[in-house]
Amino acid sequence: LAGWLTEAGLASGLWVQRTSVPGVAQRTGATTYYLEFLPRTGDVRPVMALHPAPGRVDVLVATELLEAMRMVQAGFVTPDRTTLIASTHRAYTVDEKSAMADGRLDPEPMIAACKSFSAKALIRDISKVAQANNCHLNSVVMGVLAGSGALPLGEEACRAAIQSGKRASEANLRGFDAGLALVREADTIPDLK
């Protein structure tokens, strides 16, 4: 996904910077990818950050609900700025799995918090959409990002980036289209705020 976004940004004539920070928690943690896009104006090269700063994130994508909640808690999602795209899919924590009874966290308060702390939120089971379309989750996310208008990337630049990978591009394009459809469907459903 980070590679596709980088390619689409460059093809759109933007300055693009991409960094990643591998997670180091018990399941190796989530790797955080950070991308910046800026329009090219004149000959001045911008100075871009190497990592996100709380309160300064325009778009945040989380492919697991608790990861989205962690980003909200860390201050990366703000109601004046951030478009949050999150999947309700869960990878259960050790505490949830080792509880004597049903130790799973209730997703509804997490979803409510994610919505209340974001300027705009699309929270759906993106993993289920990927499975239904027999494609990788990242391709669905790419379609959601392109369809949301949250980034200065056109659909065609995104399609070209996906096709340039050549591996599973047919399945990835199918996922991209499913992501676009998910955004269009969300526009008719009240919980895309």
Side-chain angles (χ1 to χ4, degrees), residues 174-188:
R174 193 169 52 247
F176 179 78
D177 289 334
L180 289 172
L182 191 62
V183 172
R184 291 181 184 122
E185 170 193 304
D187 282 337
T188 66

Side-chain angles (χ1 to χ4, degrees), residues 155-179:
E155 286 183 28
E156 290 314 309
C158 292
R159 283 183 196 284
I162 290 170
Q163 288 174 312
S164 72
K166 294 184 179 47
R167 291 176 41 208
S169 62
E170 184 178 308
N172 289 329
L173 287 172
R174 193 169 52 247
F176 179 78
D177 289 334

Side-chain angles (χ1 to χ4, degrees), residues 10-189:
L10 291 172
S12 298
L14 302 170
W15 289 108
V16 181
Q17 178 169 286
R18 178 180 81 206
T19 58
S20 62
V21 179
V24 291
Q26 63 191 109
R27 310 175 267 159
T28 70
T31 298
T32 300
Y33 293 91
Y34 178 65
L35 288 85
E36 285 196 33
F37 301 94
L38 289 171
R40 289 183 183 259
T41 55
D43 294 331
V44 179
R45 301 188 105 191
V47 176
M48 296 178 161
L50 293 175
H51 54 84
R56 307 277 300 161
V57 175
D58 295 319
V59 181
L60 191 132
V61 174
T63 57
E64 197 270 351
L65 185 57
L66 190 55
E67 288 298 327
M69 196 60 229
R70 287 181 181 125
M71 294 295 101
V72 168
Q73 183 180 19
F76 291 107
V77 179
T78 56
D80 64 321
R81 171 176 217 144
T82 310
T83 295
L84 174 64
I85 297 167
S87 181
T88 57
H89 170 77
R90 288 295 320 283
Y92 296 113
T93 66
V94 171
D95 287 344
E96 287 176 290
K97 292 188 279 187
S98 63
M100 294 299 285
D102 184 355
R104 293 176 296 175
L105 295 171
D106 183 357
E108 292 309 316
M110 289 189 280
I111 291 168
C114 286
K115 288 179 182 178
S116 70
F117 277 89
S118 60
K120 186 177 180 182
L122 184 129
I123 302 172
R124 297 283 192 284
D125 191 343
I126 299 171
S127 178
K128 187 176 181 179
V129 173
Q131 289 174 352
N133 287 280
N134 197 26
C135 62
H136 196 281
L137 180 122
N138 283 341
S139 63
V140 179
V141 171
M142 186 74 163
V144 170
L145 281 166
S148 72
L151 295 175
L153 306 174
E155 286 183 28
E156 290 314 309
C158 292
R159 283 183 196 284
I162 290 170
Q163 288 174 312
S164 72
K166 294 184 179 47
R167 291 176 41 208
S169 62
E170 184 178 308
N172 289 329
L173 287 172
R174 193 169 52 247
F176 179 78
D177 289 334
L180 289 172
L182 191 62
V183 172
R184 291 181 184 122
E185 170 193 304
D187 282 337
T188 66
I189 296 173

